[in-house]
């Protein structure tokens, strides 16, 4: 189609010339910052479109270049973070959350057993030294309250540790 001023161009004509749909042409015009009401010539649209395509192909333009650059940067950050984690794990500087959870719960169990054992020894020592009898049920209730509190706290800490993995950022 000629750019003769006597011929009125339609968007369909230009879209056909550029081998695209009219909808795609409207998007292209927007990308090229051209307003159809300003009556751009077919040659002007074609030249700007070809320049836009060249720029995009060379990596200098396009609607999503910034997103692509951000994605590449994020990918590089994740790769570097995973490399650091792998290195630290090989050095034995980090443990899995599951191992830490298990260790914390095991420690709380040991602490509770030691506390109960120490309390029993203390009762026996008091009974022997003072020649008295101590109500074991009363003492066991107090010990049980304490050991259950330790157990609950260990479970809370270990649960928070595992749940916190979802909040990690590199």
């Amino acid at each position: 189609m000629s750019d003769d001023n006597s011929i009125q161009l339609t968007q369909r004509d230009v879209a056909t010339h550029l081998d695209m749909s009219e909808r795609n042409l409207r998007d292209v015009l927007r990308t090229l910052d051209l307003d159809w009401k300003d009556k751009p010539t077919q040659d002007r649209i074609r030249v700007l479109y070809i320049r836009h395509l060249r720029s995009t192909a060379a990596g200098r333009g396009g609607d999503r270049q910034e997103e692509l650059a951000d994605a590449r940067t994020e990918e590089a950050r994740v790769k570097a973070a995973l490399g650091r984690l792998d290195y630290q794990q090989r050095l034995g500087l980090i443990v899995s959350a599951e191992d830490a959870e298990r260790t914390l719960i095991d420690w709380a169990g040991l602490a509770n057993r030691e506390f109960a054992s120490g309390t029993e020894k203390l009762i026996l020592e008091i009974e022997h030294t003072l020649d008295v009898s101590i109500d074991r049920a009363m003492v066991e209730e107090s010990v049980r309250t304490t050991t259950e509190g330790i157990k609950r706290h260990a479970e809370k800490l270990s649960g928070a540790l595992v749940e916190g993995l979802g909040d990690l950022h590199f």
Side-chain angles (χ1 to χ4, degrees), residues 113-152:
R113 288 187 300 277
E114 289 294 321
F115 181 75
S117 175
T119 302
E120 180 60 27
K121 287 178 186 175
L122 181 60
I123 290 170
L124 290 174
E125 186 66 31
I126 291 171
E127 285 180 334
H128 177 70
T129 302
L130 300 177
D131 194 27
V132 294
S133 179
I134 296 179
D135 181 5
R136 293 266 192 302
M138 179 185 69
V139 174
E140 286 174 8
E141 178 61 30
S142 179
V143 168
R144 184 174 40 257
T145 302
T146 301
T147 57
E148 285 176 358
I150 292 169
K151 178 184 175 190
R152 278 191 310 276

Side-chain angles (χ1 to χ4, degrees), residues 2 5 14 21 24 26 30 32 41 61 67 71 75 83 106 118 151 156-157 164:
S2 166
N5 288 337
V14 176
S21 69
N24 193 15
R26 286 190 290 277
R30 197 172 313 113
L32 300 176
T41 65
E67 281 182 41
E75 181 182 15
D106 288 350
K151 178 184 175 190
K156 177 182 172 187
L157 289 176

Side-chain angles (χ1 to χ4, degrees), residues 5 17 21 53 55 69 78 82 89 95 97 130 137 140-143 164 170:
N5 288 337
H17 177 71
S21 69
L53 292 175
S55 179
V78 168
L82 289 173
Q89 187 174 26
V95 296
L130 300 177
E140 286 174 8
E141 178 61 30
S142 179
V143 168
F170 299 102

Side-chain angles (χ1 to χ4, degrees), residues 7 12 19 21-23 30 35 47 64 79 81 85-86 90 94 97 115 124 136 163:
I7 300 174
R12 175 176 287 172
D19 191 30
S21 69
E22 289 180 60
R23 172 74 181 117
R30 197 172 313 113
D35 188 346
V47 168
R64 306 198 83 187
K79 186 176 180 180
L85 285 174
D86 183 52
R90 289 174 195 238
I94 58 174
F115 181 75
L124 290 174
R136 293 266 192 302
E163 288 173 12

Side-chain angles (χ1 to χ4, degrees), residues 52-112:
H52 168 73
L53 292 175
R54 283 184 190 144
S55 179
T56 300
R60 296 186 304 265
D63 295 339
R64 306 198 83 187
Q65 283 306 98
E66 188 173 330
E67 281 182 41
L68 182 58
D70 289 346
R72 286 182 180 148
T73 300
E74 181 64 18
E75 181 182 15
R77 284 185 184 135
V78 168
K79 186 176 180 180
L82 289 173
R84 285 191 301 273
L85 285 174
D86 183 52
Y87 176 69
Q88 291 174 349
Q89 187 174 26
R90 289 174 195 238
L91 293 176
L93 299 175
I94 58 174
V95 296
S96 71
E98 290 80 15
D99 288 345
E101 177 185 31
R102 201 170 26 257
T103 300
L104 188 56
I105 289 173
D106 288 350
W107 170 85
L110 175 65
N112 282 343

Side-chain angles (χ1 to χ4, degrees), residues 40-56:
T41 65
Q42 184 168 281
D43 287 339
R44 175 88 175 127
I45 295 169
R46 183 182 59 249
V47 168
L48 289 176
Y49 182 57
I50 289 170
R51 288 179 183 166
H52 168 73
L53 292 175
R54 283 184 190 144
S55 179
T56 300

Side-chain angles (χ1 to χ4, degrees), residues 97 159-170:
L161 174 68
V162 172
E163 288 173 12
L165 289 177
D167 298 332
L168 286 181
H169 300 284
F170 299 102

